[in-house]
Amino acid sequence: MLHIALAKGRISEQVIAFLEAAGIHFPEYNETSRKLIFVDDTDSFKITLVKSPDVPVYVERGAADVGVVGKDILEEHSYSLYEICDLGVGRCRMAVAGIKGRSLPTGRRLVVGTKYPAIARKYYASLGERVDIVPLNGSVELAPLVGLSDVIVDIVESGNTLRENGLEALTFFMDLSARLIVNKGAFRFKRKAIDRIIACTKGGTEDGMD
Ligand code: PRP
């Protein structure tokens, strides 16, 4: 059986739709269920729905053979696994955003609220700018509104969250999408089933493997 870890939410819904369209059916799956593990009707594939930062952890440690996760997670941490292809779903961008119309402070370091401290640090380092990072876990858009930071570094998909909270994107600096990742051992020993998953999600483009 091939064990697939999916980031719960938008990505898992799209990937399960790909699998269903390719004839791999998960009879117990529905988007509103609180159930976390689903097995297909031939007992060949098992899906586990996990929080997105945990997907590569499952795959690296062999708790899952393959996984689908946003590139943001793979950029934020480094893992020993194969990144096979870009599935072309879950497209969004990493942005710097701030309160609409407000200019940035001068004469002191910029304070940046983010769920992605490594990505933010690397981005500002590439500009030669020293900033103070405030690591947060979610609802990052609140940070400038409550005076916790000057700007945020976060993913923007539709832009609705920024708009509805009176923020605006100042710079987009990284294109993101969902990636298929594979455990190194599984890539050798479960190749046939993995190739089937790659075929189901075809349309994705091959990436390099680290
Ligand atoms: C992500 C991101 C933004 C939002 C962007 O948050 O951190 O808040 O989605 O999407 P939009 O541009 O379509 O509005 P997520 O939904 O993962 O929740 P979180 O803020 O709790 O991390």
Side-chain angles (χ1 to χ4, degrees):
M1 185 180 285
L2 191 79
H3 185 171
I4 307 165
L6 298 179
K8 208 174 169 183
R10 294 178 248 201
I11 287 181
S12 63
E13 285 164 21
Q14 282 176 304
V15 173
I16 291 171
F18 280 152
L19 299 179
E20 292 274 347
I24 303 174
H25 301 297
F26 297 88
E28 292 191 312
Y29 175 74
N30 76 68
E31 286 168 15
T32 54
S33 166
R34 299 286 296 166
K35 198 170 153 61
L36 298 172
I37 298 177
F38 302 94
V39 176
D40 83 307
D41 53 7
T42 64
D43 275 348
S44 308
F45 298 95
K46 179 167 80 176
I47 283 174
T48 308
L49 301 181
V50 305
K51 291 278 183 195
S52 78
D54 293 340
V55 172
V57 178
Y58 275 52
V59 172
E60 181 180 48
R61 291 173 172 266
D65 302 307
V66 310
V68 178
V69 68
K71 181 69 174 170
D72 51 313
I73 303 296
L74 302 174
E75 287 283 337
E76 181 63 19
H77 305 277
S78 59
Y79 300 97
S80 178
L81 45 74
Y82 295 136
E83 184 183 324
I84 300 289
C85 61
D86 179 347
L87 300 187
V89 298
R91 288 195 183 283
C92 52
R93 291 180 291 174
M94 191 65 73
V96 178
I99 293 179
K100 196 169 180 187
R102 183 179 295 180
S103 48
L104 297 180
T106 51
R108 65 163 172 84
R109 283 192 195 182
L110 192 70
V111 183
V112 181
T114 187
K115 270 190 299 191
Y116 301 97
I119 291 174
R121 206 166 280 123
K122 198 170 162 190
Y123 170 67
Y124 282 103
S126 77
L127 301 179
E129 207 176 318
R130 287 176 154 228
V131 297
D132 288 336
I133 305 277
V134 180
L136 295 167
N137 286 304
S139 302
V140 176
E141 290 81 2
L142 282 171
L145 302 177
V146 300
L148 200 51
S149 72
D150 301 309
V151 295
I152 59 171
V153 164
D154 199 15
I155 54 175
V156 175
E157 189 181 9
S158 64
N160 288 339
T161 313
L162 292 182
R163 260 191 305 278
E164 290 182 25
N165 291 290
L167 305 182
E168 64 182 351
L170 305 174
T171 317
F172 293 101
F173 64 92
M174 190 185 284
D175 289 329
L176 302 165
S177 56
R179 305 299 160 101
L180 184 68
I181 56 176
V182 178
N183 173 269
K184 289 186 169 179
F187 192 71
R188 289 178 64 195
F189 298 115
K190 296 190 176 182
R191 193 58 194 267
K192 214 173 148 190
I194 291 169
D195 282 346
R196 191 157 169 220
I197 296 300
I198 294 170
C200 292
T201 53
K202 231 177 179 162
T205 50
E206 298 254 336
D207 280 352
M209 291 181 277
D210 79 18

